[in-house]
Amino acid sequence: MATIKHLIHGEPVADDARTTDVFNPSTGQAIHTLGLASRATIRKAIDSAQAAFPAWRNTPAAKRAQVMFRFKQLLEANEQRIAQLISEEHGKTLEDAVGELKRGIENVEFASAAPEILKGEYSRNVGPNIDAWSDLQPIGVVAGITPFNFPAMVPLWMYPLAIACGNCFILKPSERDPSSTLLIAELLHEAGLPKGVLNVVHGDKEAVDALIEAPEVKALSFVGSTPIAEYIYAEGTKRGKRVQALGGAKNHAVLMPDAELDNAVSALMGAAYGSCGERCMAISVAVCVGDPVADALIDKLVPQIKALKIGAGTSCGLDMGPLVTAAARDKVLGYIDDGVAAGAKVVVDGRGFKVAGNEEGFFVGGTLFDRVTPEMRIYKEEIFGPVLCVVRVNSLEAAIQLINDHEYGNGTCIFTRDGESARLFCDEIEVGMVGVNVPLPVPVSYHSFGGWKRSLFGDLHAYGPDGVRFYTRKKAITQRWPKRTSHEAAQFAFPSNS
Ligand code: NAD
């Protein structure tokens, strides 16, 4: 098995004193060994980024943007190769892998507008012969720590924009599916990125702690589970760093009695079972307003869940692949056991599901629970698997209350034909991203992504305009060039225009 290396100063670097296996979840076989970075390797990456920063911050934004243009072209030219690597190590279907890459490329497109984004603001004659402007300057060396579920897209939320803003970046991708992430970083170098501007280090807590503790790392972007997000936010901010830490989720879809049920069912199928439920924006709870809606929904969902095409992620034409690891599969199975024991009605049971020819793969079949109540663990906790829970309520107000009482607030949506209900929902719901007849309201790259409550720690959302604010520091400059011949007397009163 090949050992995957780190990418430091544009070169592959071996550090494999400690290693972990990377699996193909469709076959259940280990396919690579991954070296886990020691503190010494993290130090090399930081030194490389520090050394690259002065020249990169002074490179014209238009030139930085040109690197992003070439990067986008290379990503498009290598789409199938990247999607294959994602599917092989993550298990998601090839089509889904292409989808995440395309959404990632949108962030490269946004970063390509760096000269426009970084223009700042200018005011002439704010006082006598005084001009003022604000400048958006890079913050230095920044680091990103990313999850397994979007090995292409989530890193692309971070470093293209950070780099286009003039920063140098150290990426610590997930140790479970690092190959596509690494290939994409190599393509950025092929696009002309100077050495040291982006370094990729693989690793676990040791690597992350070394990044948190290094004074040279000025900001940390994290995406992953809530306990780690809380840890990184607390440790990073304690050291005076900027931190943006996106955490877990439990996303509800509200079905109103006037919803177009067939469309809502199609939307729910994709949002609950796509990527085997391993999306932070996956819908895992259907909140039905009234028993007739719940009964009709379940009648329509059951045959479709039973007909899900499940198999090796790298095959074409599938709906769903396996979970990422044996541990992830066992965790999901544990939740299903727990739901049954707690008294929820398992309408479709994905336990014991096998794919012929891939019996060792980490598969779980699509699962549907009815009569789920808020005190059950399957309702409260993020399952991150192909499990949809139906909760029955009597009114829209009760649905809103239920969602607002949940500790997570990443995404939510409502299915209705009624504008008044939709408007009330958008106004009152305490969730960061809201869809109206849109099941996965993931903002496009020129808006920003972020949840509320325990789904995000920090003030700013990820990518888009908030990403620019996160990866830059504002400087306000006030300038006067007095005439050589004029003499100005000292002023002791605070200067103003009135
Ligand atoms: P994870 O928290 O296990 O890992 C995320 C990153 O943190 C990885 O790079 C991992 O190596 C690192 N890490 C793990 N343990 C650590 C520790 N003890 N100390 C420091 N770093 C550590 O998350 P995951 O399983 O890779 O991803 C799934 C989770 O990510 C889900 O909870 C999902 O909701 C969340 N997620 C959230 C968003 C969002 O935008 N809010 C997007 C994608 C995924």
Side-chain angles (χ1 to χ4, degrees):
M1 277 195 304
T3 300
I4 299 170
K5 296 187 172 144
H6 314 277
L7 180 66
I8 298 177
H9 218 66
E11 306 293 336
V13 169
D15 172 4
D16 46 16
R18 290 190 309 125
T19 60
T20 188
D21 285 342
V22 177
F23 286 81
N24 177 339
S26 299
T27 62
Q29 303 302 310
I31 51 173
H32 302 297
T33 304
L34 181 75
L36 299 172
S38 61
R39 281 179 177 267
T41 298
I42 299 293
R43 175 44 52 198
K44 274 188 203 156
I46 295 171
D47 289 347
S48 159
Q50 275 280 93
F53 180 59
W56 185 244
R57 96 189 269 280
N58 287 320
T59 300
K63 288 211 156 142
R64 299 199 298 251
Q66 281 162 16
V67 176
M68 292 299 152
F69 280 122
R70 290 193 291 271
F71 184 37
K72 170 181 152 68
Q73 286 166 347
L74 286 169
L75 289 171
E76 285 169 347
N78 286 277
E79 177 184 287
Q80 286 307 315
R81 207 172 140 209
I82 295 167
Q84 182 74 24
L85 290 177
I86 297 173
S87 288
E88 242 165 53
E89 295 181 354
H90 175 286
K92 67 176 72 175
T93 67
L94 274 177
E95 293 85 347
D96 194 26
V98 169
E100 84 153 274
L101 178 62
K102 284 186 192 287
R103 289 301 291 265
I105 291 173
E106 289 176 14
N107 293 89
V108 180
E109 287 166 1
F110 183 77
S112 303
E116 169 67 22
I117 295 169
L118 298 173
K119 269 192 321 206
E121 291 165 327
Y122 186 88
S123 300
R124 184 177 154 73
N125 278 342
V126 296
N129 294 319
I130 301 176
D131 302 331
W133 73 92
S134 59
D135 208 5
L136 295 173
Q137 300 196 344
I139 45 185
V141 176
V142 300
I145 297 133
T146 52
F148 80 85
N149 66 326
F150 286 107
M153 183 180 77
V154 171
L156 290 175
W157 284 358
M158 298 177 181
Y159 66 77
L161 189 54
I163 286 173
C165 289
N167 300 286
C168 292
F169 203 94
I170 301 170
L171 175 67
K172 207 299 288 169
S174 171
E175 64 279 29
R176 293 179 220 159
D177 49 7
S179 295
S180 61
T181 322
L182 193 59
L183 171 61
I184 291 173
E186 286 163 2
L187 292 175
L188 182 51
H189 285 87
E190 203 179 315
L193 191 77
K195 291 180 176 194
V197 177
L198 172 67
N199 298 286
V200 182
V201 286
H202 306 289
D204 54 8
K205 183 169 167 31
E206 181 173 334
V208 174
D209 284 345
L211 289 168
I212 295 174
E213 287 161 24
E216 299 90 342
V217 175
K218 303 294 181 201
L220 296 162
S221 295
F222 172 84
V223 176
S225 60
T226 289
I228 311 295
E230 277 177 313
Y231 170 75
I232 288 176
Y233 186 76
E235 293 300 314
T237 51
K238 199 164 83 186
R239 292 170 173 80
K241 295 182 201 299
R242 263 186 204 190
V243 186
Q244 177 175 67
L246 281 64
K250 192 82 180 176
N251 305 313
H252 302 67
V254 175
L255 280 98
M256 295 298 288
D258 63 354
E260 275 174 11
L261 203 56
D262 285 331
N263 283 340
V265 167
S266 300
L268 277 184
M269 285 299 298
Y273 302 107
S275 202
C276 209
E278 290 175 318
R279 291 178 181 146
C280 65
M281 290 292 275
I283 294 291
S284 50
V285 184
V287 186
C288 295
V289 178
D291 284 331
V293 180
D295 295 338
L297 174 74
I298 288 168
D299 282 351
K300 285 182 184 283
L301 280 174
V302 168
Q304 295 199 30
I305 298 169
K306 289 185 173 163
L308 278 170
K309 285 180 260 157
I310 305 173
T314 43
S315 316
C316 286
L318 294 174
D319 299 323
M320 201 174 105
L323 288 151
V324 67
T325 55
R329 176 202 55 202
D330 295 345
K331 187 172 162 206
V332 172
L333 292 175
Y335 274 114
I336 302 176
D337 291 344
D338 197 82
V340 173
K345 183 178 170 200
V346 64
V347 187
V348 184
D349 190 345
R351 290 174 293 183
F353 183 88
K354 293 269 178 240
V355 170
N358 280 317
E359 285 78 6
E360 302 305 313
F362 309 137
F363 294 96
V364 174
T367 298
L368 180 66
F369 276 110
D370 188 16
R371 307 269 172 199
V372 174
T373 53
E375 65 287 352
M376 293 179 183
R377 271 185 68 221
I378 55 167
Y379 173 76
K380 288 198 284 204
E381 297 177 17
E382 182 181 43
I383 299 176
F384 227 53
V387 181
L388 179 63
C389 296
V390 173
V391 178
R392 296 166 181 242
V393 296
N394 292 323
S395 64
L396 174 58
E397 287 72 16
I400 292 173
Q401 191 62 53
L402 177 84
I403 298 170
N404 288 352
D405 286 345
H406 203 285
E407 63 173 334
Y408 293 123
N410 215 37
T412 188
C413 65
I414 184 167
F415 291 95
T416 181
R417 297 299 305 165
D418 179 45
E420 192 182 337
S421 303
R423 194 159 192 276
L424 178 77
F425 186 74
C426 294
D427 280 351
E428 298 294 325
I429 207 72
E430 290 174 12
V431 172
M433 293 170 283
V434 183
V436 175
N437 299 314
V438 173
L440 296 174
V442 176
V444 289
S445 64
Y446 37 98
H447 287 261
S448 298
F449 180 110
W452 287 15
K453 298 185 275 185
R454 295 187 74 227
S455 292
L456 187 145
F457 303 87
D459 303 316
L460 294 169
H461 286 194
Y463 67 75
D466 266 16
V468 177
R469 289 178 198 113
F470 185 76
Y471 291 124
T472 56
R473 284 184 359 159
K474 219 168 208 183
K475 192 175 272 179
I477 298 152
T478 305
Q479 175 175 270
R480 170 192 279 173
W481 292 102
K483 291 208 170 73
R484 282 179 215 278
T485 50
S486 70
H487 173 74
E488 287 168 22
Q491 253 194 42
F492 296 97
F494 204 67
S496 81
N497 271 323
S498 51

